[in-house]
Amino acid sequence: TILSALLKKDVVAVEMRPHEYTSGEKDMLTMLRIDFGATVRDDDGRESLILIELQKTWLETETLRFRQYLGVHYSSPQNMRPDGNALPMVAVYLLGHKVGDIEEPVLYVSHQSSDYNGNPVTKGLPDPFVDSLTHDSIIVQIPRLRGQINNRLDKVLSIFDQSRRDVHDNRMLRLDDAAYEDDADMSRIVRRLTMAAADADMRHSMNVETEYLSLLEKTETKVLMRDKEIARQQKKLAEKTAQLNEQQVQLNEKTAQLNEQQVQLNEQQVQLAEKNAQLHENEAMLRKSVEKFRQMGLSAEEIASVLGVAVEVVKRFGAN
């Protein structure tokens, strides 16, 4: 009844299918997964088999596990046709939380084929190959269900309407039996839920699970806060690392400048040493020349005139 209302098709038979995705006790409590093989009758009377993956969760952090489970679903040989193509699949998500700012309680996400220019492609579709690689999704935001019954789906989903929770026990919903008296399928669902609510063992299990989930939620909140703190510390560390890297770049630039200045200084020192060597060599030659002319009996003035230097320079080398 629920699947027919969600799919807006006549589901004539439903078979529970085994799934290979095993998870720990935590996943079993925070996420419920059920796989169906549903025989659907189209408007023209033809019947076809599709896979329905139903997942229910009350946590807002299940996206990764949703994707992981989809991957297992796609890779399972049990979900393949004899011709090698996968069975068409519809993913149904019953969420105990809101999705962003989407106000619609039920969201249908369908794939559409188009060409390069965005024009819809219909010729040759549906095609087993295309349908094997894509799937449609139905997202139900249970907190968005607010008692407005405008169609068959609203009526079916009204049994999940959280605005009808009992003020003394939020695990219980108060439903008006009279609203479903004219609908045999809905009356059957209400009767089964009423029997479950009245069962002592079921109520005890609910109490135990509520206590466990409360502790689990507190633990996951602490883990979430810890992860946020780790992310904040990692961000601060990344910022400090970036600052250190920038400072290191600046230090490297200054070091390069100092190295360049040192190279220039070394070149100047080499040039100065060469000039000093040349000066010493010139001075030695001048000394020899002065000594030679002095031995020839020339005076200091005469030697200075011949060599083109000052008399004081000649006298410094011992000439009178």
Side-chain angles (χ1 to χ4, degrees), residues 53-64:
E53 174 202 304
L54 186 146
Q55 301 194 49
K56 177 179 179 295
T57 181
W58 52 273
L59 292 179
E60 297 189 27
T61 56
E62 302 289 353
T63 305
L64 178 59

Side-chain angles (χ1 to χ4, degrees), residues 6 104-108 138-141 144-145 153-154 157:
L6 286 170
E104 292 296 327
V106 183
L107 185 67
Y108 288 84
I138 303 174
I139 301 173
V140 180
Q141 302 182 83
R144 298 286 189 186
L145 300 175
L153 179 60
D154 290 341
L157 293 182

Side-chain angles (χ1 to χ4, degrees), residues 276-290 313 316-317:
N276 288 335
Q278 184 65 38
L279 182 61
H280 288 310
E281 183 178 353
N282 293 340
E283 185 175 329
M285 292 177 60
L286 183 59
R287 183 186 299 276
K288 289 181 180 180
S289 298
V290 170
V313 175
R316 184 159 57 87
F317 291 131

Side-chain angles (χ1 to χ4, degrees), residues 80-87 128 132:
M80 302 298 292
R81 289 172 169 172
D83 59 5
N85 292 308
L87 289 170
S132 297

